Amino acid sequence: MAVKSRPDVLGDLSDIDAANVARCAKVLLRHPLLRPGGPDGDLLPLVYRYRISLQEMFASLLGYRLVVERRFARLYKSGPGEDHTRGEAALSPRAYAYVCLTMAALTGVGRQVLLSRLVADVRAAASEAGLDVVDDVGDRRALTAALRHLITLGVITETDGTVAGLISETPPEALITIHTDLLGQLLAGPLAEAGSADELVELASAPGRLGVEHAVRRRLVEDPVTLHADLPPDQAEWLLRNQRRESVVLERCFGLVTEIRAEGVAVTDPEEYLTDVVFPSTGTVARITLLALPELVDQTDVSDEEPEYRPDGRIPVSQERLLEVCRNLVEDYPAAWSRQATDDVAALAEDVTDLLVRLTLAVPEGDGWLISPAAHRWLPQPDDSPGRPVAVSEIPPEPGWSLFDDEGAR
């Protein structure tokens, strides 16, 4: 069954209203659970005012469901999938497990609960799920991080006492208040409600053109770089045919700017509001990464063999080459870097590759890496020429006279 093309949901709005909708959309992409007292919570009244336009825009463009009430707004996104670089930095895998177990335990305790009982319920749920529960410092820190994350989301609040004492072997008691409305929104799935969800169910089950649009736009909005080679054939074909139009859509509806190249599309936020990893940036690792990119993508004079050109535009780089580039930068500009960051060049190279992976500029392959063709967009110029330490033999001799000598002695 053919699906009708969607109208421009911002077409009937004034320029001011359209700009406000785009601003609210960007806030919801950054904070899918928006609430008073939370980050950007002061924009909740504006989101509520434009809720109809926002719901239509997210449903038609991305296939996302948006629930808006006066007390909160919840955008149900598809999630990062298997991308391990997009998680909460403060949560370890065990802490993530405790987040899920804590939410499960909270569903049956009412509006308030003592911290000791909540911890007992969570550990009982962990044991029931087959997880080894060891009451040591690491386990208590993971559970504390999970509770802090739920506090940040507004799902629970510390009414009396604090969860920070949970790290000690004999934690003090605390009273926790559960906000069941927000807890319910976290536990609900993207297609849990009737109404607009019926439309999304139909879209999700239809393999037609609109489903392809949703999948590609989600990649463009959520990922900084989308390569044609990483997409299924139908999605890559659709993007090649519609990338100019999509550039206009993303800028109008979300304030994002696209950069179209033969290998794919890079999407940036000029305000850096949606940017979770700012680059270029300050700090030794970020600056060495920036200066290393031209060296890593330059395949000339690296070996006697003919450079390898891949269909996806990625450049293969060995671990030895990456280490060599980092070492040369450290030695060529010795006064430019933090001594602590450059004492161990091997560890520095690992930090550089970690940053490249988080920027989606590198993916592992065998013992080396594949550098994204998007790395060509940075051509940094060092502020100074290389300055290696001067050898002792090159230091000019001291003068044979002194400023304090008598004038006649000179």
Side-chain angles (χ1 to χ4, degrees), residues 279-298 321-322 324-337 342 348 352 355-356 359 361 371 375 377-387:
F279 186 79
S281 182
T282 59
T284 294
V285 173
R287 289 187 294 144
I288 285 184
T289 302
L290 179 63
L291 292 176
L293 286 176
E295 300 290 332
L296 297 177
V297 300
D298 184 7
R321 173 60 178 163
L322 181 64
E324 177 189 5
V325 170
C326 291
R327 181 181 293 109
N328 290 342
L329 287 171
V330 170
E331 294 176 354
D332 287 346
Y333 306 94
W337 318 118
T342 56
L348 173 65
V352 168
L355 179 56
L356 290 174
L359 292 167
L361 292 176
I371 305 300
R377 69 195 304 268
W378 288 285
L379 296 174
Q381 294 295 328
D383 294 333
D384 196 4
S385 58

